Every structure is written in C-alpha cells, then in structure tokens.
Amino acid sequence: MNWLNHELYIEPIDAYIDPARPVRRAIITHGHADHARPGHEHVLATPQTIAIMKQRYGANCAGSFQELDFGETLVDGPVTITLFPAGHILGSAQVRLAYQGRVAVVTGDYKTHADSTAQPFELVPCDLFVTEATFGLPVFQHPDPTREIARLLASVEAQPDRCHVIGAYALGKAQRVIKLIREAGYDAPIFLHGAQEKLCAYYAGQGVELGNLQKALDRDRGSFPGHIVIAPPSALRDRWSRRLPDPVVCQASGWMTIRQRAKQSGVELPLVISDHADWNELTATITATGADTVWVTHGREDALVHWCRSQGLKAEPLYMQGREEDAGE
C-alpha cells in the first residue's frame, strides 16, 4: 500500500503509528515505552492509553490528546480510523485504517488468549495485517497461565519460611499476575515495589479488582516470610531486594520458556506468562484476518515472514528500530 509505508507513516493524513521520534501527529497503540513516547504535537489513542501516558510522562507529555474509544469511527479526511482491542494490556489497540477501498490493520503488540486485565482481542478482517513477532518462532508455545500460578502457589505453601518475590513489569504484567493469583483463590496481602503502586491503583480504578495490596517499603523483614512480593525485574538484582529474607526469586515472562535464560538471570522459579501472542496465536491470527499481505514489525521477523510466504502470502519484515525485546514481558 503506497499510502502506508514501512515506518507506519500514513501519508494521506500525515500521521505515524507508534513513532520512535516526536512527530506532528501520532496514533499510539498502547502505553509501553517502546510504543508510547513523549513529545508528539498531537496524540490519538484510547482513553486508557492516554491516561497511562500522562501518568508515566506527565500531563503535558504531548501538545494535545484526542480520545477514541474502541469501535468508534473517526473520519479523518480520506482515511477512516477505528481502534479495536489488542488484548495486550489495558487500553491496548489495533489500528484499523480504511482508504480507497483497502483496509490495513496495525496491531502494535497483541495476544488472543483470555486476560481479565485487558479488553479481549477482536479479530479484524483486512487486506494488510501488520503484526509483531516477539515470540515468532515455533518453539514459543505458551502454557496456560493458570498452571503457572498453581506452581507458584504450591511453592508458597511448601516454603512458608521464605517469601516469593516475582519480577513483573510495572505496566500490564504486574497487574495480570496479581489478578491471576486472586482468581486462583489467594486472598492474603500482596506486597508491591513502589514503582508499581500507581499503575496498580489505576487498574483498580478501571474496575480490575486486585485485592489487598500493601507497600513493601512499609514492612520490616520479619513480615515477608510466607508472602508474595511483586517488583520490577531490575529490582530482583539490586539493593532493594536485599531487605527480603531468603526470597524465592521468580519472574513472569514469556522468555522464561528458555530455561537457560532463567538460570542466567538467577531465577529460581520461572513463570511462563506472556502478554504477547505465541507462535500458534501469530499464525492462526494471520490466517483468520484473510489478509493477502503481512508486514512484520519487530521480534523474530524472518521466521514469521518465511511462514507467511510458505502460505502464499506477500510478506515483508520491517526491522523497526527502538522496539525493545523485553518491553512488557
């Protein structure tokens, strides 16, 4: 499509999707830092993504904001824009663009399996499908997350004299892990690193019930054994974690599929919980959209492009810069 280029620039309306540098007009798919950056003159996004951007970067992180709810249509000159849930984190959107009889869908990051902390993914038929490929290799097939949480709670019960500290990114992953723990029946207080308090409060304000959360900073060492602590992955290896007596170090990430990676990171209990589509979800979704053309933005582009071409589709890697492998994972 000559009206949408490989930088995800929409020429007829002079706008970019998830641009890596400040631009005049930006459409933002979701609030992770490698997609939502400050400094744009005008931002179009879901209400939740705008709220998250303001919380992370400040109220004036863009010159102006325009909210667009899921399913609402915006006619912008010759282009019609509609946002659909991407299922990745709260407020995450796929961008549907219609122009001169052709439809493109740009997914940002997405997953199709159930997640009670995000609006469920909606399949959007299109001619051009722009997909991520974070886990775009057949080896990545994520297990049921409830099974991973059951392993965690079994470990908590078996080791009441230790605490379990879970590395989970502050936006999306922390709230999802907490919600899964609550849905498994665990109702004791969960302690939070300070970096996660505001976003957990925002999710709770949006109706995502996270139960009794308490600040880890306010507790003495003697109160942690037998409890669960949630912290950013970086905190697992800095002085913050030294306050925790004999912790079982856990990490919630799709990358925990790679056991050697978990071992190198000092993770005792890896939890394979991902907010990205795995190989089966990627290939099934591409097929279901009916798209004849697929662009792959970031991740394991080459393998997914090869698969698409083997299915008779026109496919290209975009090799986009600035998309972080671990963001949100």
Side-chain angles (χ1 to χ4, degrees):
M1 291 185 180
N2 56 12
W3 52 275
L4 177 67
N5 73 17
H6 285 189
E7 291 186 280
L8 302 184
Y9 174 65
I10 313 162
E11 189 277 333
I13 59 172
D14 185 25
Y16 290 83
I17 297 174
D18 293 348
R21 55 183 170 75
V23 299
R24 192 178 73 83
R25 298 187 66 197
I27 302 172
I28 303 299
T29 60
H30 66 282
H32 280 142
D34 56 332
H35 292 258
R37 292 176 169 84
H40 305 305
E41 291 185 30
H42 181 79
V43 164
L44 175 70
T46 64
Q48 292 90 354
T49 293
I50 290 172
I52 288 167
M53 288 183 69
K54 290 181 176 179
Q55 188 172 112
R56 304 191 97 184
Y57 302 130
N60 298 319
C61 63
S64 62
F65 295 94
Q66 182 178 4
E67 295 182 352
L68 189 65
D69 286 316
F70 290 124
E72 184 180 356
T73 295
L74 173 66
V75 178
D76 189 345
V79 178
T80 299
I81 304 169
T82 315
L83 303 181
F84 291 90
H88 176 56
I89 63 170
L90 188 67
S92 61
Q94 306 170 79
V95 183
R96 180 187 186 274
L97 305 166
Y99 177 70
Q100 293 186 340
R102 294 281 285 175
V103 172
V105 171
V106 180
T107 57
D109 293 330
Y110 68 100
K111 69 175 181 296
T112 63
H113 58 270
D115 174 358
S116 59
T117 65
Q119 298 87 351
F121 177 88
E122 290 187 24
L123 182 71
V124 186
C126 56
D127 303 297
L128 166 64
F129 188 61
V130 183
T131 179
E132 59 148 323
T134 302
F135 293 109
L137 289 172
V139 68
F140 291 115
Q141 300 194 21
H142 301 146
D144 184 338
T146 62
R147 189 191 79 181
E148 300 300 280
I149 294 300
R151 291 174 52 238
L152 166 70
L153 296 182
S155 180
V156 171
E157 183 175 358
Q159 302 179 81
D161 55 335
R162 304 177 71 186
C163 81
H164 285 63
V165 56
I166 305 172
Y169 283 92
L171 173 57
K173 184 58 63 63
Q175 296 78 27
R176 186 175 179 216
V177 168
I178 293 167
K179 184 67 171 174
L180 285 165
I181 291 170
R182 296 309 189 197
E183 289 171 347
Y186 184 89
D187 58 6
I190 294 176
F191 300 115
L192 295 181
H193 185 282
Q196 293 161 321
E197 294 168 5
K198 287 185 178 179
L199 284 165
C200 284
Y202 177 71
Y203 267 63
Q206 291 291 301
V208 180
E209 179 53 55
L210 299 177
N212 185 353
L213 303 179
Q214 299 184 12
K215 298 179 180 180
L217 187 64
D218 294 342
R219 315 297 298 191
D220 58 47
R221 289 170 61 89
S223 60
F224 290 116
H227 284 281
I228 295 172
V229 180
I230 311 286
S234 59
L236 301 182
R237 290 173 285 278
D238 71 12
R239 58 186 301 179
W240 184 89
S241 63
R242 293 177 196 159
R243 76 181 61 209
L244 305 174
D246 192 21
V248 178
V249 176
C250 318
Q251 185 158 338
S253 168
W255 297 112
M256 293 297 99
T257 301
I258 305 172
R259 298 294 165 171
Q260 187 62 23
R261 185 163 177 155
K263 185 177 179 180
Q264 290 173 346
S265 301
V267 175
E268 184 175 348
L269 180 60
L271 303 170
V272 185
I273 300 175
S274 175
D275 291 331
H276 293 256
D278 68 7
W279 174 259
N280 290 334
E281 290 177 86
L282 290 168
T283 55
T285 305
I286 290 169
T287 301
T289 64
D292 57 30
T293 304
V294 178
W295 291 354
V296 184
T297 56
H298 61 285
R300 274 53 183 170
E301 298 101 326
D302 292 341
L304 196 58
V305 166
H306 175 77
W307 180 87
C308 289
R309 290 173 177 169
S310 74
Q311 305 301 304
L313 304 175
K314 292 175 283 187
E316 299 177 60
L318 300 190
Y319 298 120
M320 300 194 78
Q321 300 298 312
R323 299 291 166 85
E324 299 167 10
E325 181 185 78
D326 282 349
E329 268 307 305

